[in-house]
Amino acid sequence: MTTPSTAPRPVRGVWLIPLALILLSLIPIISGSLRLTQLSGGPALIPPAERFTSFPVPVVAHIMAGILFSVGGAFQFLPGLRRGQRSWHRLAGRVLIPAGFVLAVSGMWLASFTDLPAGDGPELRVIRLVFGTALIGSLIFAVRAILQRRYIAHGAWMTRAYALGVAAGTQAILLIPGSTLVGSALENYRAVALAAGWLVNLGVAELVIWRRRRRRLVRRATV
């Protein structure tokens, strides 16, 4: 039984979590929206890319899935939206998990079958395929865990999947200073910066998972 002193208390500023995650994804969301406008026949507000105009279907799928996964997934971290059999968390998950698969598969397709743009070398193609595979693997493990009613494991794998899926925001931040100093077409720098973006997000995800585990242990010790 939980005593008044150990009862769970609402976390102040809990809405700052989804807000921060959406802000992190703002750069790829804006650039993706501009690309969609361009592909739909609107004004070319960003430089056109032949590799995108030649294969609009996977591009549109990648952008739409990325926006849905990053914005919708941000609210999955709110504890208050997880309560009840028909909670936001459960209903949204049925949309977000397929979106995550579409995001990964379309990204890997574009990395494999379109021409490399300036600044992208074969190393970066391999890196994209590796982390795309990691995203698919995380989603598969998350689905398996929820089917087995292992909710803690499901949450851990979805946290990893979300971290991989929204890495474009972190990558944009890491690319800005280097692009200013050495230019955006330097292959080695782009490969390192993009790989670092995925790794930084995964590191943060593992920290979040570890803190959840520690809180559960503390609760058990005080009950």
Side-chain angles (χ1 to χ4, degrees):
M1 186 178 212
T2 308
T3 63
S5 60
T6 60
R9 297 178 181 177
V11 180
R12 293 181 180 178
V14 68
W15 281 91
L16 292 177
I17 297 173
L19 178 60
L21 293 172
I22 293 172
L23 287 176
L24 176 65
S25 304
L26 199 57
I27 294 176
I29 287 174
I30 292 174
S31 62
S33 300
L34 294 177
R35 183 69 67 187
L36 288 177
T37 301
Q38 183 185 78
L39 291 174
S40 64
L45 301 175
I46 55 177
E50 185 178 351
R51 64 192 293 257
F52 293 151
T53 55
S54 300
F55 301 98
V57 173
V59 174
V60 171
H62 189 70
I63 294 172
M64 294 296 293
I67 294 174
L68 179 60
F69 194 70
S70 59
V71 176
F75 294 96
Q76 296 293 73
F77 292 90
L78 288 174
L81 298 181
R82 300 180 188 177
R83 303 186 182 99
Q85 291 296 320
R86 298 184 63 81
S87 64
W88 154 270
H89 186 86
R90 292 192 177 197
L91 296 175
R94 295 172 184 175
V95 177
L96 295 175
I97 289 177
F101 280 111
V102 172
L103 175 64
V105 172
S106 59
M108 294 173 70
W109 194 96
L110 290 169
S112 301
F113 299 110
T114 61
D115 295 332
L116 293 173
D120 283 17
E123 299 85 359
L124 187 51
R125 172 173 283 169
V126 173
I127 290 171
R128 285 193 170 110
L129 293 176
V130 168
F131 284 103
T133 303
L135 173 53
I136 292 175
S138 297
L139 290 168
I140 290 173
F141 283 121
V143 171
R144 180 184 178 187
I146 199 63
L147 291 176
Q148 296 173 343
R149 298 185 181 275
R150 295 186 293 116
Y151 302 111
I152 294 175
H154 170 75
W157 283 111
M158 282 306 299
T159 300
R160 296 182 181 106
Y162 185 79
L164 290 166
V166 300
T170 307
Q171 291 164 343
I173 294 172
L174 294 176
L175 282 170
I176 290 172
S179 299
T180 303
L181 295 174
V182 301
S184 60
L186 188 62
E187 291 182 6
N188 291 338
Y189 174 75
R190 279 183 56 82
V192 171
L194 267 64
W198 275 302
L199 292 174
V200 167
N201 277 23
L202 276 178
V204 173
E206 293 301 328
L207 177 61
V208 170
I209 294 167
W210 175 79
R211 290 186 65 181
R212 288 177 188 162
R213 186 182 300 118
R214 189 179 66 172
R215 284 198 298 267
R216 286 192 297 270
L217 292 173
V218 170
R219 290 196 200 104
R220 290 173 186 173
T222 55
V223 173

